[in-house]
Amino acid sequence: MFNIKSITTSLFYSLYTGSVSAQLPSICNQCNCNTVSVYDLPSLSTGLEIDCSNQGLTAIPNDLPAYTTKLILDNNLISGELGGPTADDLSSSSSSISSFNNNNYYLSPLSNLSNLKELSLSNNQITSINPRLFNNNQNSLSYLSRLILSSNKIKSLPSSIFKRLSNLSLLDLNSNNLNFIQRWLFNGLHKLQFLDLSNNQITLIHQNALDDTPELVEIRIHKNKIRALPNIPNEGTLEKIYAFNNELVCDCVMGEFLKNYGNSLSSIQNPDYVICQSPPILKNRPIMKIEIEEFLCVDPEITRISENQILNTGDLLNLYCEAQGFPLPEITWIAPDGSILSSRKTLYIPSVSQMDAGVYECKASNAQGAVFEHVNIGIRAGEESLYKLENQNGNFNQGF
């Protein structure tokens, strides 16, 4: 291994054979660069590792050489959307952020790095990632095996954003602000072995979010607010599960999980700290020390709901619906036309019109099933309309 800075600037390196042919990149005047021998890339024998940590960078550097195999950008000032427009992009043209994102020709700042094997952007101020950063047609990161995005401020990630990183084996997203892991987030990561989602604000991991990661060896989901553990794609390869310090609901769903994945439970690390948050009778008990029969669910029951109402055009509509059960039922308000209006206990329509008249449905659901109650809403629009509503829905009580 050679330190690039110690080599005279007249020395050249070949992109594909390691021989002398290309001038050293200017980035090496600012960052630490080292050449390395490469044995696992078909078109490259000498690669370049670039470490630009602690350089005050606000974006991924431009014009990085194609023979870069490792890029470290830790502890910089890269903020906002990673791979989005920079201030220079917008100031040099009439483009807006929306037109930049809608542009059919998107040139990723990583588009030239087809031999990149490791990318680290830890401890920056990234809040999101451009959906096309890793999926751009001009960009092939098929050799990338390690992607580190820890200690940023990422709140959410687009589905399938990593799908073209077919050789990715390590994905580190710890210490961000993620709150939900959707079904297709890890789509295409068939070779992923290590996944770190710890120290986020995650409340839900879709039950099938890991289905596309059959070679997963270790998963870290500790120190979140997770209420239910996701399905395990392949019990044979998984060696370690870190799930302590969460808000696990020990209901019948958890019991079914423990029953189905009994052979994998030895993979759970620090099992005495993987404890129930609810119900109260099981709170603070380790899930591994609870009998399957103790994991129970209670059917949902709507306990309080608004009465039928007749309103004038322009009035405020305020409906409420409360339910009990275990796990605590989710409330959904459904409009007369069948559309979903709200996922909260209360429903507000600030100024009603005749089109808002009809039957509103409250749905309360949990793992045991769902129940429904109805509220009839009439909008004062003449005797004929009210007569039809009364005959269609039975008795009509005004007020609460």
Side-chain angles (χ1 to χ4, degrees):
M1 182 179 294
F2 302 94
N3 189 301
I4 285 285
K5 291 181 178 180
S6 66
I7 303 176
T8 176
T9 55
S10 63
L11 187 59
F12 299 98
Y13 290 89
S14 169
L15 177 58
Y16 298 109
T17 66
S19 64
V20 179
S21 69
Q23 191 172 9
L24 294 177
S26 60
I27 190 68
C28 295
N29 295 325
Q30 177 182 3
C31 304
N32 184 42
C33 300
N34 290 300
T35 58
V36 292
S37 297
V38 178
Y39 303 101
D40 54 355
L41 297 179
S43 60
L44 195 68
S45 60
T46 302
L48 185 68
E49 295 184 348
I50 303 175
D51 186 349
C52 287
S53 301
N54 300 292
Q55 296 297 316
L57 299 176
T58 58
I60 298 174
N62 294 322
D63 302 324
L64 296 171
Y67 56 100
T68 303
T69 55
K70 183 176 182 179
L71 179 60
I72 309 299
L73 300 171
D74 299 342
N75 304 306
N76 279 291
L77 302 175
I78 301 172
S79 62
E81 182 186 62
L82 184 65
T86 64
D88 290 340
D89 291 328
L90 298 178
S91 63
S92 62
S93 68
S94 59
S95 299
S96 64
I97 292 178
S98 60
S99 64
F100 177 93
N101 289 331
N102 293 328
N103 190 344
N104 290 329
Y105 183 77
Y106 169 80
L107 185 61
S108 166
L110 304 174
S111 60
N112 191 45
L113 305 183
S114 59
N115 294 293
L116 194 65
K117 297 170 60 178
E118 179 174 344
L119 175 62
S120 182
L121 288 143
S122 179
N123 199 22
N124 279 277
Q125 300 175 34
I126 301 165
T127 57
S128 61
I129 301 177
N130 190 290
R132 294 187 288 179
L133 179 64
F134 303 120
N135 294 322
N136 184 243
N137 289 333
Q138 285 78 32
N139 177 26
S140 176
L141 292 173
S142 59
Y143 297 119
L144 191 69
S145 63
R146 293 170 59 88
L147 178 58
I148 302 170
L149 295 163
S150 58
S151 299
N152 279 283
K153 299 178 180 180
I154 301 171
K155 296 180 180 179
S156 63
L157 291 166
S159 291
S160 301
I161 188 171
F162 306 116
K163 67 180 180 181
R164 292 198 180 185
L165 307 182
S166 56
N167 274 301
L168 199 67
S169 63
L170 181 147
L171 177 58
D172 187 350
L173 290 163
N174 94 78
S175 299
N176 277 281
N177 296 324
L178 295 170
N179 54 46
F180 173 61
I181 302 300
Q182 63 268 44
R183 168 66 178 91
W184 301 107
L185 180 57
F186 306 124
N187 182 29
L189 300 186
H190 305 301
K191 295 185 178 180
L192 190 67
Q193 296 183 330
F194 301 95
L195 175 62
D196 194 345
L197 298 170
S198 62
N199 291 285
N200 278 274
Q201 301 293 320
I202 301 171
T203 58
L204 176 65
I205 298 178
H206 190 283
Q207 287 298 102
N208 302 108
L210 302 177
D211 283 2
D212 226 17
T213 60
E215 296 187 10
L216 201 61
V217 173
E218 180 176 318
I219 179 171
R220 295 171 176 256
I221 55 175
H222 56 282
K223 296 185 178 180
N224 278 288
K225 299 179 180 180
I226 297 169
R227 297 169 61 85
L229 298 176
N231 293 338
I232 300 173
N234 188 341
E235 299 179 63
T237 64
L238 195 61
E239 297 178 0
K240 294 182 179 180
I241 306 173
Y242 293 85
F244 57 88
N245 287 12
N246 275 292
E247 298 181 1
L248 297 178
V249 176
C250 291
D251 56 10
C252 57
V253 177
M254 177 67 75
E256 195 67 19
F257 173 89
L258 297 175
K259 181 179 178 181
N260 291 338
Y261 297 107
N263 295 333
S264 296
L265 299 184
S266 59
S267 303
I268 296 179
Q269 306 297 300
N270 305 311
D272 288 343
Y273 297 94
V274 183
I275 61 176
C276 302
Q277 184 67 24
S278 61
I281 195 173
L282 297 178
K283 187 172 182 178
N284 295 328
R285 288 181 59 184
I287 65 172
M288 303 284 287
K289 295 182 178 180
I290 301 174
E291 298 295 329
I292 296 296
E293 295 75 18
E294 297 184 72
F295 294 96
L296 301 176
C297 287
V298 177
D299 290 342
E301 177 187 1
I302 295 176
T303 57
R304 189 166 177 255
I305 190 170
S306 298
E307 294 184 356
N308 300 330
Q309 302 177 46
I310 299 176
L311 302 174
N312 294 315
T313 300
D315 284 351
L316 166 69
L317 175 61
N318 181 5
L319 301 179
Y320 63 84
C321 181
E322 296 179 1
Q324 65 183 17
F326 187 77
L328 187 66
E330 295 182 359
I331 300 295
T332 304
W333 278 104
I334 303 171
D337 63 3
S339 61
I340 303 299
L341 291 179
S342 173
S343 297
R344 298 181 178 181
K345 294 180 181 180
T346 54
L347 170 64
Y348 294 97
I349 299 179
S351 179
V352 296
S353 66
Q354 294 182 27
M355 296 183 64
D356 295 314
V359 180
Y360 289 77
E361 192 171 53
C362 172
K363 174 185 176 183
S365 58
N366 66 9
Q368 285 291 89
V371 292
F372 300 84
E373 292 285 352
H374 305 87
V375 179
N376 300 318
I377 300 298
I379 307 300
R380 214 175 294 278
E383 294 182 0
E384 182 179 358
S385 295
L386 292 177
Y387 175 79
K388 288 181 179 180
L389 190 59
E390 290 173 357
N391 281 273
Q392 177 182 351
N393 299 308
N395 294 330
F396 202 99
N397 300 317
Q398 188 169 4
F400 285 96

